[in-house]
Amino acid sequence: EGPDSHDDFKPKEKVELNEENIMKQIDDWVKENKVVLFMKGVPQMPQCGFSKFAVEILKYYKIDNFKSIDILKDPLLRASVKKYSDWNTYPQLYVGG
């Protein structure tokens, strides 16, 4: 790491989700980002029609700077977001915490 190094090129910190930290991590994502979309897939390749539609709505309103989280990547995450929200379907959109 030299003087020419930029933060954009540093490795991203990867959070390992487990039973002890999952609810806090979800809460942190929701509170630290203006718009968070828990979805199936990613915005560039949604894995269900409802997730695709949610992304299309955000694009329509020119909301490009949102955090998306693919709940299909981790069964614990998928189950925990349902507990966090007390809502059992996806996508789930959080605006303003």
Side-chain angles (χ1 to χ4, degrees):
E1 190 175 337
D4 297 330
S5 183
H6 188 276
D7 284 347
D8 289 347
F9 300 106
K10 290 182 181 174
K12 300 290 183 205
E13 182 180 326
K14 183 165 169 65
V15 176
E16 187 166 329
L17 301 174
N18 57 50
E19 292 282 348
E20 288 78 41
N21 71 3
I22 187 77
M23 296 308 270
K24 182 183 181 322
Q25 180 60 66
I26 293 167
D27 196 50
D28 287 350
W29 283 326
V30 169
K31 289 180 177 169
E32 292 172 4
N33 295 280
K34 188 170 182 172
V35 179
V36 180
L37 179 62
F38 291 95
M39 63 180 290
K40 294 179 179 178
V42 295
Q44 299 79 9
M45 190 174 284
Q47 297 296 308
C48 84
F50 295 110
S51 290
K52 180 179 182 195
F53 192 61
V55 170
E56 294 295 322
I57 291 169
L58 291 170
K59 284 182 186 176
Y60 177 83
Y61 286 102
K62 307 215 182 326
I63 300 169
D64 300 320
N65 190 19
F66 64 93
K67 180 164 188 70
S68 66
I69 299 162
D70 182 359
I71 53 94
L72 297 177
K73 296 275 186 197
D74 185 329
L76 177 61
L77 175 62
R78 186 175 184 174
S80 297
V81 171
K82 290 178 183 183
K83 282 187 212 165
Y84 179 82
S85 64
D86 196 26
W87 193 259
N88 66 355
T89 60
Y90 292 100
Q92 292 187 19
L93 181 67
Y94 291 81
V95 179

